[in-house]
């Protein structure tokens, strides 16, 4: 069968051609693609198709009943109308497939060729749509010979249904696309209209805001204009008011000037009157002072010490009035304060002459009593002689007993001196009892001012410079001399009250001892500037020095040295106060605090006995010098040691005063130190417990170092010559 072989060759050629590779995708419309999206080339038959068609026997094709029936159906089928050579060839090849003996094979062939047929049909439709002229030419051209139908009616019908279904789908897709485009256009139009409305509202709102801003600016400008006008009117009113005030001030100034002129005249008159009164006061004071001097020269019944005190008191009062008069000699009138000082000096002078007369009367009465008692004393002399002999015997026995061991108390002479100092301090305290417990406000104020004037300068003593120490010394000296000093911006003098000098001296002594108790205890170097000022005051005012010693012995009895015994009936707290402890509501102070205070006071005492005021005018030995330090050290070694306190005081005393004693006593001093180390120190160790060995160890190291080097270093903080030049 040569024709069937040719058909198979034709189909094989079509299959291998580019057109035969076209595939049909039934979902192209759902994706919105063109039916020929996968094929971009123009469909054409191979060049061998003509040769194959020429060899086909047309007679055998006409004889085939399949071809006859297919030709009749092809006239009715839209798929048979085709004038292209490639469609005829394809139909011829499909006809050979339709003559296959098996129906299943035909269906397979049809299903494989349907996509290619659809592609060719779409290309023919597209070509017809794109080139209408070609369609016209084809219609006008003579009809070609009848096309050869290669498919069976059933296959053709199926192909037509497929084509029709695709067209329906295409139409539906186009309708859906048009509806979607219409909806999109409506949506765009609605959105555009909404946005246009929004734009109109925005423009209206902006115009409204602009109008409001313009209106607010205009209102603000109107308000500012009104405010400016109001301020302008207010400034005018203030200017007029200031002019009125200035005029009033000018009138007041003029009136004040007139008043000042009148006051000046009145002040001049009062000043002249005060000057006359001051002159009369000075005259009366000088007369009273002459009476005091005459009473001293004519041999009054008073003792020399009383006469000297009254004379010095009178001279102090005269010097106060002279200072006031000296101011008036410079062309100034005395002030009310000056007159107060002068009147108080006159009162003090009258009081002094009255007291002197009363004391003279008492002395005369006392002399009478002494004369009466003299006979009785003579009678008792014999009995006293016998008693003295017995006392000497007892004293000799005591001395023998004491030579065997150490004493428990100080020597009798030392205790007598200690009691005299305490009695003198008690008498001094009683002498200004009226000033210490004032009743009127003026006396209270004077007491506070005097106390400040006495204590503040001592608190200001430091190691800054020698010139500052000299100023403090001069201020204290003036105060103790009864001259006026400035304290707290006010002028104050101890002579303003009859008991002022005693009060100031006692408070000054208490302050010096308190500085040793507090300041020197915390800063050991502070002992020397405080001691040098105290030594200078002691030299010029010996009564103040005795008060310093009395207060020192009262707060630190170990400076005597004296170990007060506990008497019967004395409570423990009272006895601890006598020993120097501080006792308050919270109880007795600790041992460390007690030792620290005792150390500060003994260091101050050791500094005082070796220093002397460099600007002093008195010649000779110091009233309380290194000899008292030697006596204190010797008596300490003659007394039984006490735990903790003896070692502490010996170490502090030797550290401050050891260098000065070494230079003064030389070999004797080293003998005493050797005695202390070899014989007295073991006694200290024997009475000291293990928890109190700190002071003992310090004393032992000090003694060993000093004896080994035969030298004691000068104490830290000692004032040098360069200090006094600063």
């Amino acid at each position: 069968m040569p024709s069937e072989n040719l058909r198979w060759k034709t189909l094989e050629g079509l299959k291998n051609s580019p057109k035969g590779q076209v595939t049909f995708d039934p979902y192209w419309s759902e994706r919105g693609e063109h039916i020929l999206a996968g094929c971009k080339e123009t469909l054409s038959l191979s060049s061998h198709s003509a040769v194959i068609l020429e060899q086909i026997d047309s007679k055998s094709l006409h004889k085939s009943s399949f071809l006859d029936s297919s030709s009749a159906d092809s006239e009715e089928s839209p798929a048979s109308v085709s004038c292209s050579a490639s469609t005829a060839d394809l139909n011829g090849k499909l006809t050979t497939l339709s003559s296959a003996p098996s129906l299943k094979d035909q269906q397979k062939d049809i299903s494989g060729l349907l996509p290619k047929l659809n592609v060719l049909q779409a290309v023919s439709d597209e070509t017809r749509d794109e080139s209408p002229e070609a369609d016209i030419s084809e219609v006008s051209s003579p009809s070609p010979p009848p096309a050869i139908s290669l498919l069976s009616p059933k296959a053709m019908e199926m192909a037509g249904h497929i084509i029709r279904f695709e067209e329906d789908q295409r139409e539906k897709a186009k309708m859906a696309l048009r509806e979607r485009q219409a909806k999109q256009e409506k949506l765009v139009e609605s959105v555009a209209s909404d946005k246009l409305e929004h734009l109109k509202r925005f423009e209206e709102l902006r115009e409204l805001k602009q109008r409001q801003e313009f209106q607010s600016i205009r209102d603000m400008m109107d308000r500012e204009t009104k405010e400016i006008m109001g301020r302008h009117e207010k400034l005018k009113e203030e200017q007029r008011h200031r002019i009125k005030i200035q005029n009033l001030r000018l009138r007041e100034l003029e009136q004040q000037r007139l008043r000042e002129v009148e006051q000046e005249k009145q002040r001049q008159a009062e000043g002249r009157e005060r000057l006359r009164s001051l002159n009369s006061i000075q005259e009366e004071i000088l007369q009273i002072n002459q009476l005091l001097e005459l009473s001293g020269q004519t041999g009054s019944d008073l003792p020399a010490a009383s006469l000297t005190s009254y004379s010095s008191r009178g001279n102090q009062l005269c010097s106060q009035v002279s200072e006031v008069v000296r101011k008036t000699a410079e062309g100034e009138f005395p002030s009310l304060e000056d007159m107060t000082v002068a009147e108080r000096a006159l009162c003090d002078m009258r009081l002094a002459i009255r007291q002197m007369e009363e004391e003279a009367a008492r002395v005369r009465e006392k002399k009478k009593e002494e004369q009466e008692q003299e006979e009785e004393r003579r009678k008792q002399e014999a009995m006293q002689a016998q008693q003295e002999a017995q006392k000497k015997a007892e004293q000799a026995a005591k001395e023998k007993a004491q030579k065997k061991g150490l004493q428990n108390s100080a020597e009798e002479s030392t205790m007598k001196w200690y009691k005299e100092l305490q009695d003198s301090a008690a008498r001094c305290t009683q002498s200004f009892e009226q000033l210490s417990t004032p009743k009127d406000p003026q006396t209270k104020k004077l007491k506070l001012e005097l106390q400040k004037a006495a204590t503040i300068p001592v608190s200001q003593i430091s190691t800054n410079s020698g010139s500052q120490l000299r100023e403090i010394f001069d201020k204290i000296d003036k105060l103790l001399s009864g001259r006026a000093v400035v304290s707290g911006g006010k002028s104050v003098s101890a002579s303003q009250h009859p008991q002022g000098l005693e009060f100031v001296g006692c408070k000054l002594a208490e302050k010096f001892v308190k500085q040793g108790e507090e300041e020197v205890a915390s800063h050991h170097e502070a002992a020397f500037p405080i001691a040098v000022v105290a030594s200078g005051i002691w030299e010029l005012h010996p009564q103040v020095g005795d008060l310093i010693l009395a207060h020192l012995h009262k707060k630190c009895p170990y400076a005597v040295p004296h170990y007060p015994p506990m008497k019967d009936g004395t409570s423990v707290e009272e006895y601890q106060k006598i020993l120097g402890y501080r006792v308050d509501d919270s109880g007795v102070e600790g041992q460390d605090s007690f030792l620290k205070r005792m150390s500060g006071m003994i260091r101050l005492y050791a500094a005082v006995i070796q220093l002397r005021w460099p600007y002093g005018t008195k010649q000779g030995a110091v009233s309380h010098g290194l000899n008292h330090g030697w006596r204190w050290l010797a008596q300490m070694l003659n007394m039984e040691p006490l735990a903790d306190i003896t070692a502490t005081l010996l170490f502090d005393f030797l550290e401050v005063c050891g260098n000065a004693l070494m230079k003064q006593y030389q070999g004797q001093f080293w003998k005493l130190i050797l005695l202390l180390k070899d014989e007295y120190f073991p006694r200290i160790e024997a009475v000291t417990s293990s928890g109190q060995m700190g002071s003992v160890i310090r004393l032992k190291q000090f003694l060993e170092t000093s004896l080994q080097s035969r030298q004691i270093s000068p104490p830290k903080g000692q004032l040098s010559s360069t200090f006094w030049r600063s």
Side-chain angles (χ1 to χ4, degrees):
M1 301 251 322
S3 58
E4 290 181 2
N5 293 332
L6 291 174
R7 291 173 185 171
W8 285 110
K9 290 181 180 180
T10 302
L11 291 175
E12 189 68 20
L14 288 173
K15 181 179 180 181
N16 295 329
S17 65
K19 285 76 176 178
Q21 303 297 325
V22 178
T23 59
F24 175 73
D25 188 3
Y27 305 102
W28 62 272
S29 60
E30 294 178 4
R31 292 196 302 270
E33 297 178 356
H34 196 271
I35 191 172
L36 296 179
C39 183
K40 300 297 180 179
E41 298 179 359
T42 306
L43 297 177
S44 60
L45 293 176
S46 174
S47 58
H48 302 286
S49 59
V51 178
I52 295 171
L53 290 175
E54 289 178 357
Q55 294 178 2
I56 295 175
D57 187 2
S58 59
K59 292 181 179 181
S60 61
L61 291 174
H62 285 291
K63 288 179 180 180
S64 176
S65 59
F66 175 75
L67 291 176
D68 291 338
S69 60
S70 63
S71 63
D73 293 333
S74 64
E75 291 177 359
E76 298 173 0
S77 175
S80 62
V81 182
S82 178
C83 56
S84 63
S86 61
T87 304
D89 296 336
L90 185 58
N91 288 333
K93 293 178 181 180
L94 289 174
T95 306
T96 58
L97 290 174
S98 62
S99 61
S102 174
L103 182 60
K104 292 182 180 180
D105 295 338
Q106 289 182 3
Q107 291 177 355
K108 289 180 181 180
D109 295 336
I110 291 170
S111 61
L113 292 174
L114 279 177
K116 297 180 181 181
L117 183 61
N118 292 334
V119 172
L120 293 176
Q121 184 66 32
V123 172
S124 63
D125 293 340
E126 199 174 32
T127 305
R128 188 167 53 249
D129 293 338
E130 291 177 358
S131 56
E133 296 177 359
D135 294 340
I136 296 171
S137 61
E138 288 179 0
V139 172
S140 59
S141 61
S143 58
I148 302 172
S149 179
L150 302 179
L151 296 178
S152 65
K154 194 178 233 181
M156 292 302 293
E157 184 180 358
M158 187 179 294
H161 286 308
I162 291 172
I163 293 171
R164 202 174 295 117
F165 174 76
E166 291 176 355
E167 289 177 355
D168 293 341
Q169 292 295 325
R170 192 180 297 110
E171 289 298 328
K172 288 180 182 180
K174 289 180 180 180
M175 289 297 294
L177 182 60
R178 282 195 295 271
E179 290 176 0
R180 188 174 179 184
Q181 288 177 350
K183 289 180 182 179
Q184 192 69 23
E185 289 175 358
K186 288 180 181 179
L187 180 61
V188 170
E189 288 178 359
S190 63
V191 171
S193 62
D194 291 341
K195 296 300 179 182
L196 185 61
E197 289 297 326
H198 284 306
L199 183 61
K200 288 180 181 179
R201 300 292 85 79
F202 176 75
E203 293 292 337
E204 292 174 358
L205 182 61
R206 187 175 62 181
E207 291 177 359
L208 177 61
K209 287 184 178 180
Q210 289 177 352
R211 288 196 301 273
Q212 290 176 350
E213 290 177 358
F214 177 74
Q215 185 65 29
S216 64
I217 292 171
R218 187 166 60 189
D219 295 342
M220 184 176 64
M221 292 176 66
D222 293 341
R223 285 195 301 272
E224 289 179 353
T225 304
K226 291 179 182 179
E227 289 176 359
I228 291 170
M229 295 298 293
R231 284 198 296 271
H232 186 65
E233 292 296 329
K234 190 176 180 180
L235 289 174
K236 285 183 179 179
E237 185 65 27
E238 289 178 356
Q239 183 68 19
R240 287 193 292 269
H241 183 65
R242 280 197 291 270
I243 291 172
K244 290 180 182 179
I245 292 174
Q246 287 178 358
N247 293 332
L248 290 174
R249 286 181 179 175
L250 289 174
R251 285 196 292 271
E252 288 177 358
L253 289 173
E254 183 64 23
Q255 293 175 0
Q256 185 178 357
R257 188 184 64 80
L258 295 175
R259 284 196 300 271
E260 288 177 354
V261 171
E262 292 294 330
Q263 290 175 359
E264 182 65 22
K265 291 179 181 178
Q266 186 178 359
R267 192 180 65 82
Q268 293 286 341
E270 292 176 353
R272 285 191 290 271
E273 184 65 27
R274 286 197 296 270
L275 184 59
R276 285 192 292 271
S277 301
L278 180 62
N279 292 331
S280 63
I281 290 172
Q282 186 182 19
E283 184 179 0
E284 186 177 356
I285 287 177
L286 291 174
Q287 290 175 358
I288 295 174
N289 192 35
Q290 288 177 359
L291 291 175
L292 290 173
E293 292 178 355
L294 288 174
S295 62
Q297 293 175 0
T298 55
S300 176
D301 295 332
L302 294 175
S306 300
L307 290 174
T308 304
S309 64
Y310 283 119
S311 178
S312 62
R313 180 64 175 165
N315 291 331
Q316 289 177 0
L317 296 174
C318 288
S319 63
Q320 289 181 10
V321 178
S322 299
E323 287 182 3
V324 176
V325 174
R326 194 179 299 113
K327 292 181 182 178
T328 60
E330 297 175 357
E332 297 181 357
F333 291 112
S335 62
L336 293 175
E337 295 179 355
D338 296 336
M339 291 304 298
T340 303
V341 172
E343 290 173 357
R344 189 179 290 117
L346 179 59
C347 294
D348 293 344
M349 185 64 80
R350 291 172 180 171
L351 180 63
I353 192 68
R354 192 182 306 116
Q355 289 177 350
M356 187 183 72
E357 292 174 354
E358 292 175 355
E359 188 174 354
R362 288 194 299 270
V363 168
R364 285 191 295 269
E365 292 177 359
K366 189 175 181 180
K367 282 184 178 180
K368 289 180 182 180
E369 292 177 357
E370 288 177 354
Q371 288 174 0
E372 292 175 357
Q373 294 175 358
E374 187 175 355
E375 294 180 0
E376 295 180 0
R377 290 177 183 173
R378 290 175 183 175
K379 293 179 182 179
Q380 294 177 357
E381 284 181 357
M383 295 177 64
Q384 288 178 357
Q386 293 177 0
Q387 292 176 359
E388 286 178 0
Q390 291 178 357
K391 287 182 179 179
K392 287 181 180 179
E394 292 176 358
Q395 183 69 24
K398 287 182 179 179
E399 288 178 357
K400 289 180 180 179
Q402 288 175 358
K403 287 179 180 178
K404 295 179 181 179
L406 297 179
Q407 302 174 2
N408 290 322
S409 62
E411 296 178 356
E412 289 186 3
S413 59
T414 303
M415 292 304 300
K416 184 179 179 181
W417 170 65
Y418 164 70
K419 290 178 180 178
E420 288 176 356
L421 288 175
Q422 296 302 316
D423 294 341
S424 176
R427 287 194 300 271
C428 180
T429 305
Q430 291 177 358
S431 66
F432 59 83
E433 185 177 0
Q434 182 182 356
L435 183 58
S436 61
T437 57
K439 296 180 180 180
D440 57 313
Q442 187 175 2
T443 308
K444 287 182 180 179
K445 184 178 180 181
L446 178 61
K447 173 194 171 184
L448 292 174
E449 290 177 354
L450 289 175
Q451 188 169 352
K452 289 180 181 178
T455 56
I456 290 176
V458 181
S459 302
Q460 294 174 345
I461 295 175
S462 63
T463 57
N464 291 341
S465 64
S467 59
Q468 185 182 8
L469 278 187
R470 193 168 183 179
E471 290 177 3
I472 293 172
F473 177 83
D474 293 340
K475 192 173 183 179
I476 297 173
D477 183 33
K478 284 183 180 179
L479 184 65
L480 292 173
S481 301
R483 290 178 287 176
V485 296
V486 178
S487 176
K490 297 180 181 179
S491 178
V492 64
S493 173
S495 59
Q496 293 177 356
H497 195 276
Q499 303 168 356
L501 288 174
E502 291 80 3
F503 177 77
V504 167
C506 188
K507 294 300 177 184
L508 193 64
E510 288 179 358
K511 186 61 179 177
F512 272 115
V513 176
K514 190 174 183 180
Q515 285 294 100
E517 185 181 10
E518 296 176 355
E519 183 66 21
V520 179
S522 301
H523 306 91
H524 295 167
E525 295 82 0
F528 293 95
I530 297 173
V532 75
V533 176
S535 177
I537 296 298
W538 199 329
E539 184 177 342
L540 295 179
H541 306 276
Q543 69 278 10
V544 178
D546 293 341
L547 290 173
I548 292 174
L549 270 181
H551 284 290
L552 179 65
H553 292 167
K554 186 176 181 180
K555 287 198 171 186
C556 180
Y558 313 102
V560 178
H562 173 49
Y563 301 155
M566 187 173 182
K567 298 179 181 179
D568 295 337
T570 306
S571 63
V572 177
E573 292 183 354
E574 289 295 329
Y575 182 61
Q576 287 176 331
K577 285 183 180 179
I578 294 172
L579 292 177
Y581 286 89
R582 281 180 177 174
V583 181
D584 51 17
D585 296 337
S586 60
V588 184
E589 70 174 329
Q591 185 70 8
D592 292 340
S593 175
F594 167 73
L595 292 175
K596 184 178 181 181
R597 291 191 303 105
M598 298 299 111
S599 172
M601 287 185 281
I602 207 68
R603 280 178 177 272
L604 178 63
Y605 178 67
V608 169
I609 61 177
Q610 65 175 306
L611 292 177
R612 189 168 185 174
W613 182 247
Y615 303 105
T617 56
K618 290 187 178 182
Q619 302 295 328
V622 185
S623 58
H624 198 84
L626 281 174
N627 56 331
H628 286 78
W630 180 263
R631 179 190 59 81
W632 181 88
L633 184 58
Q635 289 198 10
M636 281 289 290
L637 298 182
N638 284 329
M639 297 174 66
E640 286 290 345
L642 298 179
D644 217 1
I645 185 67
T646 302
T648 300
L649 297 183
L650 284 174
F651 171 74
D652 292 327
F653 184 84
L654 290 174
E655 189 178 39
V656 176
C657 196
N659 181 264
L661 290 173
M662 179 191 67
K663 293 179 180 178
Q664 180 75 17
Y665 296 98
Q666 299 178 358
Q668 295 296 325
F669 173 76
W670 290 114
K671 289 180 181 179
L672 194 65
I673 295 297
L674 189 61
L675 174 68
L676 170 60
K677 180 180 181 298
D678 293 341
E679 298 184 12
Y680 194 74
F681 188 77
R683 290 177 177 266
I684 297 175
E685 289 181 324
V687 299
T688 305
S689 62
S690 59
Q692 300 172 338
M693 294 299 292
S695 57
V696 177
I697 293 172
R698 287 195 296 270
L699 177 60
K700 184 178 181 181
Q701 291 176 350
F702 177 82
L703 294 174
E704 290 176 352
T705 304
S706 302
L707 289 171
Q708 184 178 0
S709 62
R710 299 288 292 182
Q711 185 70 27
I712 295 179
S713 303
K716 294 181 180 179
Q718 192 171 15
L719 305 179
S720 60
S721 58
T722 56
F723 171 79
W724 296 107
R725 291 196 295 269
S726 60

